[in-house]
């Protein structure tokens, strides 16, 4: 597989944080495992190729994944880590042609994906930060992460990912508080105490609730009804949005939303998404 990727990540450039499956050795279909569930119809151990993987690293059932029960595959996003590991860190040498690379490549992908996700959030944070100190911290973290992602795989495997995640989390919280600040005064009483970090809002009808500026980091929004909701300045970092109903909702100004969250939810052509995200195909097919 020829590679068009021969340069390191550019801090803040989200184009390199989008999955390019044509330049990846199907690492999401091999490195990670999954269990039979509503997301997958079969069990697959980590480190083994999916039974639907073709010799050229494409998916033999790509056009019918949801119909065949592989919903989890249509939700997943590697944030561009797949092509970075395949083409930059391993120089275009596939695990099939070089079996000795398999174990390290798969481990490296697991770490790189986490770092790429952090870079995705930091890129958004950089556009929202109003404090010079916070902005400086964002630039430093972006540069550090981009540097190590261009190093030898052993550098990634030796990282303390939890330490880095903690630093990134602190910056994202600071940006969230800055951005939500104008919505906070006097708004908490009208929203209610149940709207907060890690709130369990599973299946809740939230259509009539004022939402702007709410902090829903890590909240459970599984099956929640958010039709027509204005989610401006709502922090959705890590929120579980599986089957959340986003029809006609406005997420254009929501904070730290990922493609995975959107892919896992329900919506329609009237749903307004952040510029960086795409409307899932299954929304258009419903």
């Amino acid at each position: 597989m020829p590679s068009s990727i021969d340069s390191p990540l550019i801090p803040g450039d989200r184009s390199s944080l989008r999955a390019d499956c044509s330049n990846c050795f199907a690492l999401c279909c091999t490195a990670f495992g999954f269990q039979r569930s509503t997301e997958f119809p079969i069990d697959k151990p980590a480190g083994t190729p999916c039974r639907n993987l073709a010799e050229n690293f494409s998916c033999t059932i790509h056009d019918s994944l949801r119909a065949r029960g592989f919903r989890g595959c249509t939700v997943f996003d590697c944030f561009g880590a797949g092509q970075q590991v395949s083409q930059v860190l391993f120089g275009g040498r596939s695990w099939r042609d070089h079996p000795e690379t398999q174990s390290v490549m798969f481990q490296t992908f697991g770490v790189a994906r986490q770092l790429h996700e952090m870079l995705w959030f930091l890129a958004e944070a950089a556009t929202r930060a109003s404090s010079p100190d916070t902005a400086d911290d964002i630039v430093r973290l972006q540069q550090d992460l981009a540097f190590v992602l261009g190093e030898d795989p052993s550098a990634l495997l030796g990282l303390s990912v939890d330490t880095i995640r903690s630093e990134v989390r602190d910056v994202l919280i600071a940006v969230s508080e800055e951005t939500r600040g104008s919505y906070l005064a006097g708004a908490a009483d009208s929203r209610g105490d149940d709207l907060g970090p890690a709130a369990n809002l599973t299946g809740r009808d939230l259509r009539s609730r004022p939402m702007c500026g709410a902090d829903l980091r890590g909240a459970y929004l599984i099956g929640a009804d958010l039709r027509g909701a204005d989610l401006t300045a709502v922090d959705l970092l890590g929120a579980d949005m599986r089957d959340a109903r986003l029809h006609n909702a406005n997420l254009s100004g929501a904070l730290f939303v990922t493609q995975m969250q959107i892919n896992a939810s329900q919506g329609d052509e009237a749903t307004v998404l952040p510029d960086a995200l795409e409307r899932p195909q299954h929304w258009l097919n419903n």
Side-chain angles (χ1 to χ4, degrees):
M1 179 185 298
S3 171
S4 59
I5 303 171
D6 54 11
S7 60
L9 291 171
I10 300 174
D13 178 15
R14 274 187 162 178
S15 64
S16 60
L17 302 176
R18 301 181 188 278
D20 177 5
C21 297
S22 66
N23 275 304
C24 176
F25 300 131
L27 297 182
C28 64
C29 307
T30 49
F32 300 148
F34 50 74
Q35 295 180 327
R36 185 189 303 267
S37 64
T38 57
E39 304 296 307
F40 299 100
I42 60 173
D43 295 328
K44 188 191 86 66
T48 63
C50 176
R51 70 184 187 185
N52 301 311
L53 185 64
E55 286 297 315
N56 66 351
F57 300 110
S58 66
C59 175
T60 60
I61 63 167
H62 182 267
D63 293 335
S64 58
L65 282 166
R66 281 190 165 249
R68 291 172 179 252
F70 288 88
R71 168 176 159 154
C73 298
T74 67
V75 171
F76 183 79
D77 182 12
C78 76
F79 298 95
Q83 66 260 24
Q84 181 72 12
V85 172
S86 298
Q87 304 300 339
V88 177
L89 294 178
F90 283 84
R93 300 164 66 242
S94 79
W95 52 265
R96 272 198 172 131
D97 294 337
H98 301 273
E100 72 280 1
T101 67
Q102 180 171 306
S103 178
V104 175
M105 186 181 295
F106 293 169
Q107 292 179 62
T108 302
F109 175 63
V111 175
R113 188 202 168 276
Q114 295 179 68
L115 302 187
H116 273 241
E117 183 177 25
M118 294 180 206
L119 282 172
W120 179 271
F121 289 134
L122 288 170
E124 177 179 345
T127 67
R128 297 181 180 274
S130 56
S131 163
D133 289 342
T134 301
D136 288 345
D137 287 339
I138 291 170
V139 171
R140 174 182 57 80
L141 286 166
Q142 287 177 315
Q143 292 176 339
D144 289 348
L145 289 174
F147 176 80
V148 75
L149 281 162
E151 289 289 286
D152 186 88
S154 61
L156 267 70
L157 297 182
L159 286 178
S160 174
V161 176
D162 288 342
T163 299
I164 298 172
R165 184 182 293 109
S166 179
E167 289 187 63
V168 172
R169 178 181 178 276
D170 289 345
V171 167
L172 298 184
I173 289 176
V175 170
S176 174
E177 291 176 346
E178 293 171 2
T179 305
R180 293 184 298 106
S182 59
Y183 295 90
L184 296 180
D189 292 340
S190 61
R191 284 200 299 261
D193 294 335
D194 57 337
L195 296 187
N200 187 356
L201 301 168
T202 300
R204 292 279 296 277
D205 186 345
L206 301 171
R207 287 176 293 175
S208 62
R209 299 288 296 278
M211 303 290 290
C212 294
D215 185 354
L216 295 181
R217 283 177 292 115
Y220 295 92
L221 292 166
I222 304 168
D225 193 343
L226 290 160
R227 288 177 293 172
D230 183 357
L231 300 175
T232 300
V234 175
D235 189 339
L236 292 169
L237 180 67
D240 190 337
M241 299 175 62
R242 284 175 292 170
D243 288 324
R245 303 172 71 181
L246 300 176
H247 307 75
N248 200 38
N250 183 2
L251 290 88
S252 61
L255 302 175
F256 307 130
V257 186
T258 67
Q259 190 66 54
M260 287 185 66
Q261 289 170 308
I262 296 302
N263 291 346
S265 64
Q266 301 178 27
D268 57 18
E269 293 183 354
T271 306
V272 184
L273 296 174
D275 291 339
L277 303 182
E278 299 179 354
R279 201 172 309 276
Q281 187 60 44
H282 68 270
W283 284 13
L284 306 178
N285 294 338
N286 291 337

